[in-house]
Amino acid sequence: MKKLISIIKDKKRLYRILFEGTDRLSKPVDIAIMIAIALCIIMASLESVVKVDDFSFKALVNLELDGVGILKASIIVLEYVLSILFAIEYILRVYCSPVKREYVLSFFGIIDLMATLPQLLSVVFPPLRYLSLMRTFRLFRIFRVLKLFSFLNEGYLLLESIRKSLTKILVYFMFVVVLVCILGTIMYIVESGTPQTRFTSIPTSIYWAIVTLTTVGYGDITPVTALGKFLSGIVMILGYTIIAVPTGIVSATMIDTTQKKGKNGRCPRCNQKTDLSANYCKHCGERL
């Protein structure tokens, strides 16, 4: 207990444990928190199966000690234990942060808060408990625990490629929206005069065009005329070519980003300053 208190008092070490992962206790703490998150996901899933509606202490005492009752009791107890654990973690993170505002307003800071508050607010509105599953974002710690920096680096490359391709993808998306509107309107014109047709309106026909073009094919709306079936076949074939375009855009950008050379002593990927004699970027690990 004294050792734990001394660690809590040492804000710099606590920061290294919770944020930087450079302390010898960082890995055990991260693994323990990830196990707790996994348990939280399992408990939430089981809760939806056995229908635990009341998490009060009175409901816990009144549960029957049969198989389902024991399972419900375990879920309620674990829910309180995990809620307290994550609340303590959030408080410690705010406590040891040099700039508390920076952590509280950061992405993971908001996730931590949104994953902790529902347990308290669920007393008023029980369904809010399921927002605690936002903790799953914290499973990304596995990259730090297992030191998979190369995967983080490749993830950065993918996100950067998507960001650079976003304008082209948005233009392409607008083209697809116009295309499904045209195809849906054409199919409505072809099928609307047929008895017992499912193409009852242009919005319904556009919905059919989206489902068919994306190759989902629910089958709830199908053409009955020969011309309608012919057009449907064309839309299906067109769907395969349509889907491949965004993939090609992002792939081309990834290749361009990978082959891009650094300029003026900056990394071609993260644009941070690097040593001119270095073979790899000290910030993101990109080969220079």
Side-chain angles (χ1 to χ4, degrees):
M1 182 61 69
K2 290 182 179 180
K3 187 175 181 180
L4 179 61
I5 294 174
S6 64
I7 293 174
I8 294 174
K9 287 182 177 180
D10 189 350
K11 288 187 178 182
K12 291 184 178 179
R13 187 182 180 189
L14 189 61
Y15 181 83
R16 292 198 303 270
I17 293 173
L18 295 177
F19 287 94
E20 295 182 343
T22 55
D23 192 90
R24 60 186 179 86
L25 292 178
S26 297
K27 187 173 181 179
V29 168
D30 282 340
I31 292 175
I33 292 174
M34 284 191 291
I35 291 173
I37 294 170
L39 281 174
C40 179
I41 297 169
I42 294 171
M43 289 302 101
S45 301
L46 290 175
E47 175 191 331
S48 65
V49 174
V50 299
K51 306 300 180 184
V52 182
D53 299 320
D54 191 352
F55 279 77
S56 65
F57 181 75
K58 182 179 179 181
L60 178 62
V61 173
N62 293 332
L63 285 173
E64 298 180 4
L65 294 179
D66 55 4
V68 177
I70 293 173
L71 180 58
K72 287 184 176 181
S74 302
I75 291 173
I76 293 173
V77 172
L78 270 175
E79 187 74 21
Y80 281 114
V81 171
L82 293 174
S83 299
I84 294 171
L85 174 64
F86 288 118
I88 292 173
E89 183 207 6
Y90 179 77
I91 292 170
L92 288 177
R93 284 179 176 274
V94 175
Y95 165 73
C96 70
S97 297
V99 184
K100 294 176 174 53
R101 179 185 176 87
E102 183 177 340
Y103 165 69
V104 171
L105 297 179
S106 67
F107 173 75
F108 281 117
I110 295 173
I111 291 296
D112 287 342
L113 180 61
M114 292 295 293
T116 304
L117 280 181
Q119 306 303 318
L120 303 175
L121 298 178
S122 62
V123 176
V124 180
F125 188 59
L128 283 175
R129 289 194 310 274
Y130 295 107
L131 286 177
S132 62
L133 290 180
M134 294 181 71
R135 295 190 188 108
T136 51
F137 282 103
R138 276 296 178 187
L139 288 174
F140 285 118
R141 285 181 182 152
I142 195 170
F143 289 108
R144 191 177 79 185
V145 173
L146 301 179
K147 304 300 182 183
L148 301 179
F149 291 117
S150 59
F151 290 97
L152 281 175
N153 199 28
E154 297 307 318
Y156 178 85
L157 172 62
L158 178 61
L159 290 175
E160 184 67 13
S161 301
I162 293 174
R163 186 187 65 80
K164 291 181 178 180
S165 307
L166 191 59
T167 303
K168 296 177 183 177
I169 292 174
L170 287 176
V171 172
Y172 175 75
F173 175 76
M174 292 302 300
F175 165 75
V176 173
V177 169
V178 173
L179 181 62
V180 294
C181 290
I182 294 173
L183 292 173
T185 304
I186 293 174
M187 284 299 293
Y188 174 73
I189 295 171
V190 172
E191 294 285 323
S192 60
T194 307
Q196 297 181 345
T197 181
R198 302 299 297 272
F199 292 84
T200 55
S201 65
I202 289 180
T204 302
S205 302
I206 292 174
Y207 160 77
W208 168 87
I210 294 172
V211 171
T212 306
L213 193 67
T214 55
T215 70
V216 175
Y218 289 124
D220 54 341
I221 303 175
T222 55
V224 293
T225 65
L227 180 58
K229 291 178 180 178
F230 175 74
L231 290 174
S232 180
I234 292 177
V235 174
M236 293 175 192
I237 296 172
L238 185 63
Y240 284 101
T241 59
I242 290 293
I243 292 173
V245 174
T247 306
I249 293 173
V250 176
S251 299
T253 307
M254 287 180 67
I255 294 172
D256 181 65
T257 303
T258 304
Q259 295 179 346
K260 185 178 178 181
K261 304 298 181 183
K263 296 181 179 180
N264 301 323
R266 290 186 175 272
C267 173
R269 178 170 296 176
C270 65
N271 201 36
Q272 296 292 328
K273 289 185 177 181
T274 60
D275 298 329
L276 296 176
S277 59
N279 294 322
Y280 295 89
C281 175
K282 62 183 179 181
H283 302 284
C284 69
E286 170 70 0
R287 186 181 181 87
L288 301 175

